[in-house]
Amino acid sequence: MGDRLELSGLGFETRAIHGGSGTDPTTGAVNTPVHLSSTFRQDAVGVNRGFEYARSGNPTRASLEANLAELEGADFGFAFASGMAAEDAVMRLLGPGDHMVLPTDAYGGTYRLATRVFQPAGLQVATSDLGALEDDLRPNTKMVWIETPTNPLLRVIDIEAVAEIAHHHGSLLVVDSTFATPWLQQPLRLGADIVVHSTTKYLGGHSDVVGGFTATNDPDLAEHLGFLQNAVGAVPGPFDCFLVQRGVKTLAVRMERHCSNALAVVELLREHRAVETVLHPSLADHDGHDVASRQMRGFGGIVSFTLSGGEPAALEVCRRTRIFTLAESLGAVESLIEHPSRMTHASVTGSSNEVPSDLVRLSVGLETADDLVADLRQALDALVS
Ligand SMILES: *Cc1c(COP(=O)(O)O)cnc(C)c1O
């Protein structure tokens, strides 16, 4: 392989940029090539160079998997065609009759996958607000699934505390860490058994690819996840893997600016009289502020808020912003605005996971902070003039 850079002891940014397969040993290319080959020549029957068929493994994918696993402090990582495909593989670790606990404000797609795909196949699914998690666990609870910070209410869950409760009951803890990315928090280091990501969001970071990832330190879970990745086959193509790995190289600098731009936006929202409440872990009066300060390197780039004028005002703000683009998704360079109850979370309306109809969610991007603040200000001013 030539002289590969030894990553241990190096900082996050260095490991993000030089991780994965590193400089291509055959050509010296500094980027991992996009290996567009579905099959690989075998040197003899049963003798190959680590790859035989691209569903089972592809060098571009292997590079991304190694890179992300290393950043999560994981021994094993698996890339998928979407965040939901990664979640599907994780839920397939369970079987009929097993019980799984989801938070009441889980990502809508997670709730839909658990209740409408796995529950009909015999999995028992319960939601919990995690306030008294012990009461929601049963003898057959095999998996506790959390997200932190949550989408779209930005609750912060104490991963270490939940891991202890879950493990005490013989249950696995899975953390969907999409909102945080490994730059802000590393759940496996805090006791989680499995971490999952939608790489579509901050990891890719440019709204140009859909992908998923899951990682663990447990060899048995890894073997099962690797089996599922190959057996079910929801794998990402090599170009998608390349795009995600390219995004990972700038993750740290992007996250820093996402976080600081979000703080500027929070300051405006806090003082504007059209706004009722602002939800962001940076706020000292936010329920999760102390845990976030301990568990995360920064407070993240997603900000939610409710409006004094209720749902009509929420819809009006979404109509009036110019730089904040009305769209689903989050975590990319451009700022987005959305109305969760009618957009990203429409599928959970009427369930325990329903979100308030006067809520607006912002994904604060990397544009000039003053421009973002001015854009929101003009949209909010129109509501109170
Ligand atoms: C987007 C998202 C997912 C699903 O990922 P896809 O890449 O869209 O399939 C899962 N969890 C969270 C928190 C998300 O934001």
Side-chain angles (χ1 to χ4, degrees):
M1 288 297 281
D3 30 30
R4 285 216 43 202
L5 184 64
E6 173 54 50
L7 298 178
S8 68
L10 300 176
F12 186 96
E13 293 84 348
T14 313
R15 292 183 287 116
I17 292 166
H18 295 280
S21 55
T23 304
D24 181 43
T26 56
T27 62
V30 297
N31 285 312
T32 304
V34 180
H35 287 275
L36 290 173
S37 196
S38 59
T39 190
F40 299 83
R41 193 187 70 195
Q42 316 218 350
D43 297 326
V45 173
V47 182
N48 62 52
R49 305 180 195 186
F51 300 98
E52 39 193 24
Y53 181 63
R55 168 161 40 73
S56 320
N58 163 291
T60 314
R61 189 175 98 207
S63 179
L64 171 67
E65 291 173 333
N67 193 0
L68 280 179
E70 200 277 331
L71 294 177
E72 283 290 3
D75 291 338
F76 311 98
F78 304 92
F80 287 86
S82 68
M84 293 318 304
E87 296 195 2
D88 172 73
V90 173
M91 290 187 198
R92 282 177 196 270
L93 295 170
L94 303 174
D98 288 344
H99 181 250
M100 166 186 189
V101 175
L102 277 179
T104 44
D105 51 357
Y107 175 70
T110 305
Y111 179 79
R112 181 175 55 198
L113 179 67
T115 57
R116 295 184 52 192
V117 178
F118 284 91
Q119 195 162 270
L123 184 69
Q124 297 171 18
V125 181
T127 55
S128 164
D129 69 4
L130 306 178
L133 177 60
E134 284 98 337
D135 300 343
D136 297 312
L137 299 178
R138 300 193 202 146
N140 59 337
T141 304
K142 296 285 168 56
M143 186 176 280
V144 173
W145 184 293
I146 63 170
E147 245 175 74
T148 182
T150 66
N151 176 18
L153 298 176
L154 300 168
R155 289 202 308 146
V156 177
I157 312 299
D158 186 335
I159 297 172
E160 236 167 347
V162 174
E164 200 177 307
I165 297 168
H167 293 160
H168 186 69
H169 279 75
S171 163
L172 296 173
L173 174 64
V174 178
V175 178
D176 179 342
S177 196
T178 297
F179 272 40
T181 80
W183 192 77
L184 289 179
Q185 79 192 6
Q186 287 144 27
L188 300 181
R189 297 190 200 280
L190 298 168
D193 301 284
I194 296 173
V195 59
V196 294
H197 285 283
S198 167
T199 58
T200 313
K201 314 296 168 54
Y202 289 108
L203 291 168
H206 294 76
S207 297
D208 53 10
V209 62
V210 170
F213 177 73
T214 183
T216 183
N217 277 316
D218 182 309
D220 295 331
L221 291 175
E223 197 189 330
H224 201 163
L225 287 168
F227 167 81
L228 289 165
Q229 183 193 41
N230 182 47
V232 179
V235 293
F239 189 64
D240 289 354
C241 294
F242 171 86
L243 287 174
V244 175
Q245 197 171 348
R246 187 175 69 162
V248 170
K249 291 177 196 289
T250 56
L251 179 66
V253 286
R254 285 189 290 107
M255 290 310 290
E256 264 170 19
R257 185 60 66 84
H258 281 298
C259 290
S260 66
N261 279 359
L263 293 180
V265 161
V266 164
E267 198 181 312
L268 165 78
L269 295 173
R270 281 286 267 197
E271 65 172 38
H272 204 286
R273 62 197 173 89
V275 175
E276 186 152 279
T277 49
V278 184
L279 304 175
H280 192 251
S282 66
L283 297 166
D285 59 6
H286 184 278
D287 278 347
H289 178 73
D290 292 341
V291 174
S293 305
R294 214 167 55 228
Q295 168 170 291
M296 299 171 71
R297 196 200 295 248
F299 298 107
I302 310 296
V303 179
S304 294
F305 61 101
T306 61
L307 290 130
S308 317
E311 183 173 15
L315 297 174
E316 192 63 13
V317 173
C318 292
R319 202 174 66 78
R320 285 186 177 271
T321 53
R322 300 269 176 277
I323 301 176
F324 280 89
T325 303
L326 181 64
E328 300 194 0
S329 196
L330 58 101
V333 291
E334 67 282 334
S335 292
L336 302 179
I337 187 167
E338 70 120 358
H339 184 255
S341 82
R342 293 209 190 177
M343 293 173 63
T344 48
H345 290 64
S347 69
V348 294
T349 300
S351 78
S352 58
N353 288 29
E354 183 169 313
V355 298
S357 64
D358 60 346
L359 187 79
V360 170
R361 186 188 79 186
L362 303 174
S363 173
V364 181
L366 305 183
E367 300 92 338
T368 309
D370 287 349
D371 293 342
L372 295 178
V373 168
D375 186 38
L376 278 173
R377 179 176 282 125
Q378 62 80 26
L380 292 166
D381 283 353
L383 298 175
V384 287
S385 59

